[in-house]
Amino acid sequence: MNKPHILQVGPYPEWDEVPLNAAFTVHRYFNAADKDSFLSRIGPEIRAIATRGELGASRAMIDACPGLELVSVYGVGFDAVDLPACRERGIRVTNTPDVLTNDVADLGVAMMLCLSRGMIGAESWVRDGSWAKKGLYPLKRRVWGRRAGVLGLGRIGYEVAKRLQGFDMDIAYSDVETKPYASEWTFVADPIALAERSDFLFVTLAASAATRHIVGRDVISALGGEGMLVNISRASNIDEEALLDALENGKLGSAALDVFEGEPALNPRFLALDNVLLQPHHASGTVETRKAMGQLVRDNLAAHFAGKPLLTPVV
């Protein structure tokens, strides 16, 4: 029996590539020198797209595949997939939620601890001999007992807040409505008001047109010169120009960031700052989670072509 033809937008680890190749006829978009010509040639054969959250699938890519039935996203974010184009043609979309939730929450809390306690600089202080030559490392700020705000109390935001409880923090959250599973935390409807009452503001929202730059100048200003912004969601949720301005002029204390506009070519202004912790979009970057993500991508593809219900549908 002929294997379904799929378009692979970006590379996966070898442990995903091998079973993907075994189950499907895979066309690697990322290896094509002339991508437009490549799509024009193989597009009519494509029945599914396997992509990554940050790569998505544009309308042009979708239009180049007239027989497209499914877009399977490796990642929880699907904002880079043109959902209106998919809905217009009845194309299904899946992602990989839940399997990465806890690792993303872990990294968000680790970033808070690392930046608040100055751990990167402290390690250099030991390695470069400053400890021996200059004495004790400059004092940093505590985490326990302080005020945390979680902007977006979905799967990841909930797990972040659960972890913050272990530090005896005063926890509040913003979302479209109160959450029945968060009765012990304070609901603050307005993101500006949430930032105003927070020492640490975690951004854990799903990205959409409605949330673009939801963390803008007003929210950043409300967080203030002693506050820390932690983003483990999508870059589009933050107004980067406003963030950079505030970090440079002291209107915001610090930021810990795992995502950036135009990544990996981030704005060079970030590199000149010593009050920001930069991470390479790897919140889900553990062996265990990445294997589970790849399996879920393949399971959704297999379910679709077997005529079974999709495991994690978005559209």
Side-chain angles (χ1 to χ4, degrees), residues 247-294:
L247 288 166
E248 289 169 347
N249 64 27
K251 296 293 179 62
L252 177 66
S254 58
L257 308 168
D258 188 48
V259 289
F260 305 87
E261 294 280 7
E263 60 185 43
L266 68 162
N267 192 316
R269 290 168 65 189
F270 281 116
L271 305 178
L273 294 167
D274 60 7
N275 57 346
V276 62
L277 176 66
L278 309 173
Q279 297 290 288
H281 199 156
H282 74 140
S284 65
T286 67
V287 170
E288 296 87 351
T289 283
R290 291 293 171 84
K291 285 186 175 181
M293 288 167 61

Side-chain angles (χ1 to χ4, degrees), residues 87-104:
R87 290 190 178 101
E88 288 167 16
R89 288 179 41 194
I91 297 165
R92 303 300 304 277
V93 179
T94 62
N95 65 342
T96 59
D98 296 322
V99 295
L100 53 69
T101 297
N102 286 291
D103 276 343
V104 175

Side-chain angles (χ1 to χ4, degrees), residues 3 6-31 50 52 74 290-291 294-295 297-298:
K3 296 188 290 186
I6 70 169
L7 180 69
Q8 184 183 348
V9 181
Y12 296 137
E14 185 179 359
W15 58 64
D16 291 323
E17 295 277 2
V18 172
L20 198 67
N21 291 333
F24 307 102
T25 299
V26 180
H27 301 272
R28 290 174 175 77
Y29 176 79
F30 58 94
N31 281 339
R52 301 202 311 251
Y74 177 95
R290 291 293 171 84
K291 285 186 175 181
Q295 184 67 57
V297 165
R298 297 193 302 279

Side-chain angles (χ1 to χ4, degrees), residues 206-272:
S208 68
T211 66
R212 179 171 176 77
H213 291 184
I214 190 171
V215 179
R217 293 188 187 277
D218 290 344
V219 171
I220 293 167
S221 176
L223 188 54
E226 296 294 327
M228 180 189 297
L229 179 70
V230 182
N231 190 13
I232 47 173
S233 62
R234 306 296 276 184
S236 62
N237 288 331
I238 311 290
D239 181 342
E240 276 197 1
E241 288 298 314
L243 174 61
L244 283 162
D245 289 346
L247 288 166
E248 289 169 347
N249 64 27
K251 296 293 179 62
L252 177 66
S254 58
L257 308 168
D258 188 48
V259 289
F260 305 87
E261 294 280 7
E263 60 185 43
L266 68 162
N267 192 316
R269 290 168 65 189
F270 281 116
L271 305 178

